[in-house]
Amino acid sequence: MKKNVIENITVTLRKADGVLYPVKDRKDKVMIVLSGSEGGLAHAKKLAKYLQTNGIPALALGYFKTANSVKSLSKIELENIKEAIDWLKQMGYKKIGIEGYSKGAEYAAAAAIAFHELSCVILKTPSWFYSEGMNRKTPSKTSCWSYKGRELPYTPYKTRKLPIIKEIIKNREYNILAINMNKKINPDSIISIEKIKAPILMFSTKMDTIWPSKESCEKLEERLISYNFFYPYKHICFEYMSHMMLEDCEDSIKYFIKSEKRYPKECARERTMMGQECIRWIEEVWQ
């Protein structure tokens, strides 16, 4: 259901770029949305557009591979999110939440731990620990994230050369699960999700071919339980949808992911369910 929208606003920050998708006569809530390791703004714009179409303002934020951001997924500053928060406040928005999928979910969690102004958190296919960064297709020997000039602790990849192409050819789909399984987890890199001061909605899938998002969400949920987390939280695990948790996903994904090709109707239905749950969480649970 489309509601009244107004012209989008291009945002240029110190080390990030964005597009604000506003909604007419609505400043009570706004979401910052982050896409994954593909970088750029294309997927973040889709996430933001979906929210806008459903009456929720959203800022699509590109944190690497954009005009003003860094070029690699390495030592990306949490301060980008703080700058976005401050800009949205200047624009008159009252409550600010954050949504991210894949690497963007990892970034969103780190930001929500650091900045308690973020009062709603949605994590799609998150990891339960901070991972090593990437310099193009090579492990960077650095963290993905930094804050106040220091890298966040991270868990490194198992090898210095990632056999991505070999895994894709072997599995006959975009499946790099083996690269992201059985890592020796650095305890300091585990995400302290219990430090977030906001309701948390998490999504995972049994069909994930990038990393084990179901296990990750379960690990995060265990921490919330063990720390008697004060705020509402929920984990939804899907049966068929792939790691690519966009409500508006290109049909071409079926050529890269087997589950998307075998179960197109089921994947479409789950995406609809996911979108509806996101809207419900933002409108009803986030108070």
Side-chain angles (χ1 to χ4, degrees):
M1 177 178 65
K2 291 188 177 182
K3 299 185 179 181
N4 291 332
V5 298
I6 52 181
E7 187 175 352
N8 300 335
I9 301 171
T10 299
V11 184
T12 301
L13 302 178
R14 186 174 55 90
K15 291 186 179 180
D17 298 277
V19 179
L20 176 66
Y21 288 73
V23 173
K24 187 177 181 181
D25 298 326
R26 184 159 199 194
K27 291 280 182 87
D28 63 322
K29 296 178 180 180
V30 63
M31 295 293 291
I32 298 170
V33 294
L34 308 165
S35 59
S37 60
E38 75 283 351
L41 267 168
H43 287 171
K45 285 180 178 179
K46 289 190 173 187
L47 293 167
K49 180 65 176 177
Y50 176 81
L51 293 176
Q52 183 196 50
T53 301
N54 284 275
I56 299 167
L59 173 62
L61 191 65
Y63 55 95
F64 81 110
K65 288 188 179 178
T66 66
N68 292 287
S69 63
V70 297
K71 302 308 175 186
S72 299
L73 187 56
S74 174
K75 295 188 287 187
I76 295 171
E77 298 176 5
L78 297 188
E79 284 85 350
N80 294 333
I81 307 297
K82 177 59 174 171
E83 191 176 359
I85 291 169
D86 292 342
W87 184 84
L88 289 167
K89 286 180 178 179
Q90 291 173 10
M91 292 294 289
Y93 288 99
K94 306 302 182 186
K95 294 181 179 179
I96 303 169
I98 194 163
E99 172 188 329
Y101 89 86
S102 191
K103 274 294 175 184
E106 195 177 312
Y107 193 28
I113 291 168
F115 311 122
H116 292 164
E117 298 102 315
L118 295 169
S119 54
C120 177
V121 177
I122 298 176
L123 308 176
K124 299 175 174 178
T125 56
S127 173
W128 62 286
F129 54 87
Y130 302 125
S131 294
E132 181 177 6
M134 295 287 291
N135 185 3
R136 295 189 179 184
K137 296 182 179 180
T138 304
S140 64
K141 298 183 181 179
T142 62
S143 177
C144 291
W145 323 114
S146 70
Y147 184 42
K148 296 181 178 179
R150 293 186 177 184
E151 297 177 38
L152 299 192
Y154 67 92
T155 288
Y157 285 97
K158 295 178 289 185
T159 177
R160 295 298 87 198
K161 293 184 178 180
L162 302 182
I164 294 175
I165 301 301
K166 180 180 178 181
E167 288 297 314
I168 292 172
I169 293 171
K170 181 181 74 174
N171 295 303
R172 298 183 179 181
E173 66 172 337
Y174 196 86
N175 187 331
I176 58 170
L177 197 57
I179 293 172
N180 288 311
M181 292 283 288
N182 302 317
K183 291 181 179 179
K184 185 177 181 180
I185 308 301
N186 172 9
D188 292 336
S189 73
I190 295 172
I191 296 172
S192 301
I193 194 170
E194 70 281 355
K195 294 181 180 179
I196 291 174
K197 304 294 185 183
I200 303 171
L201 176 61
M202 297 184 288
F203 295 101
S204 68
T205 174
K206 295 178 181 178
M207 291 292 188
D208 206 320
T209 60
I210 307 301
W211 59 60
S213 59
K214 178 178 180 290
E215 176 191 346
S216 289
C217 284
E218 289 170 348
K219 293 277 191 182
L220 294 171
E221 197 171 19
E222 286 172 7
R223 285 189 72 93
L224 295 176
I225 293 169
S226 66
Y227 282 90
N228 296 312
F229 190 65
F230 175 78
Y231 299 86
Y233 62 91
K234 186 175 184 179
H235 169 213
I236 298 174
C237 183
F238 292 112
E239 295 286 337
Y240 302 101
M241 190 178 11
S242 68
H243 185 87
M244 187 68 73
M245 288 196 169
L246 300 172
E247 286 83 4
D248 178 17
C249 195
E250 298 94 341
D251 190 55
S252 60
I253 194 173
K254 66 184 180 183
Y255 298 111
F256 304 101
I257 306 291
K258 290 177 183 177
S259 64
E260 299 278 357
K261 183 176 183 178
R262 291 174 181 171
Y263 308 106
K265 291 182 181 179
E266 291 86 350
C267 290
R269 184 170 62 248
E270 289 181 349
R271 284 195 166 86
T272 298
M273 291 169 55
M274 177 179 67
Q276 290 173 344
E277 185 63 24
C278 285
I279 300 305
R280 187 193 73 81
W281 195 263
I282 292 167
E283 296 286 29
E284 299 178 17
V285 178
W286 183 17
Q287 299 296 327

